[in-house]
Amino acid sequence: KLIAFNEFPLGDATQISILNQPATQECQGTLASPIEVQLEDENDNAINQSGFTITASLDSGLGTLQGTTSKTTDNNGKAIFDDLEFSVNDSHTLRFTFPGLSDAVSSEIGEATGCNFVQWTGQVNSEWSNIANWTPQEVPNENYEVIIPNNSPNYPVLDVDASVGNFTMESG
């Protein structure tokens, strides 16, 4: 006696899809939530396959993409990018790639708004990289607006490579 049944074969991964992404970045360039990507077949069905190393890169926008830019898919065919950040506050899109698969490009991740100013106090010394010389206590990067007042006990000396969004040095 012969019994036959139809079984749909597991498709091959042909593309990468973005499942979740944040709409904007935070002031320090970090992303408010992880970006989750999924392997899919040509019919947009999820492919549950581990071992694909997906690479994230900057597709548009200023600066560089920082953090862990390569993640390996889990048993569900998903990779989660949970520590990406931008070096410059700008609108960006990201590209996710794996050789032989169609890339995925994110929707625009907007620049941060409402970022605080960082003001130099110079209370400790002249080292730009010392957080105790800043209010609030954060060393600024390209995502910050910096004010250097004219009455500081010490004025900043760059002891590291530094860039800021906007820079104001008060006269006097």
Side-chain angles (χ1 to χ4, degrees), residues 104-123:
V105 176
S106 71
S107 299
E108 183 177 277
I109 300 170
E111 63 184 281
T113 58
C115 298
N116 294 327
F117 287 90
V118 179
Q119 184 165 323
W120 174 261
T121 65
Q123 294 299 313

Side-chain angles (χ1 to χ4, degrees), residues 32-118:
S33 61
I35 298 177
E36 185 177 14
V37 299
Q38 170 75 55
L39 299 177
E40 292 183 347
D41 67 14
E42 68 276 358
N43 296 315
D44 300 332
N45 297 310
I47 299 297
N48 300 329
Q49 189 169 0
S50 63
F52 285 69
T53 301
I54 308 295
T55 300
S57 60
L58 192 61
D59 192 61
S60 70
L62 299 174
T64 59
L65 179 63
Q66 301 170 338
T68 307
T69 57
S70 292
K71 295 281 187 161
T72 303
T73 57
D74 61 17
N75 289 336
N76 296 316
K78 295 179 182 177
I80 298 174
F81 292 83
D82 56 2
D83 70 344
L84 296 177
E85 61 184 77
F86 301 111
S87 66
V88 174
N89 188 16
D90 190 26
S91 294
H92 299 92
T93 58
L94 299 178
R95 180 174 297 274
F96 296 89
T97 61
F98 181 84
L101 299 182
S102 296
D103 298 352
V105 176
S106 71
S107 299
E108 183 177 277
I109 300 170
E111 63 184 281
T113 58
C115 298
N116 294 327
F117 287 90
V118 179

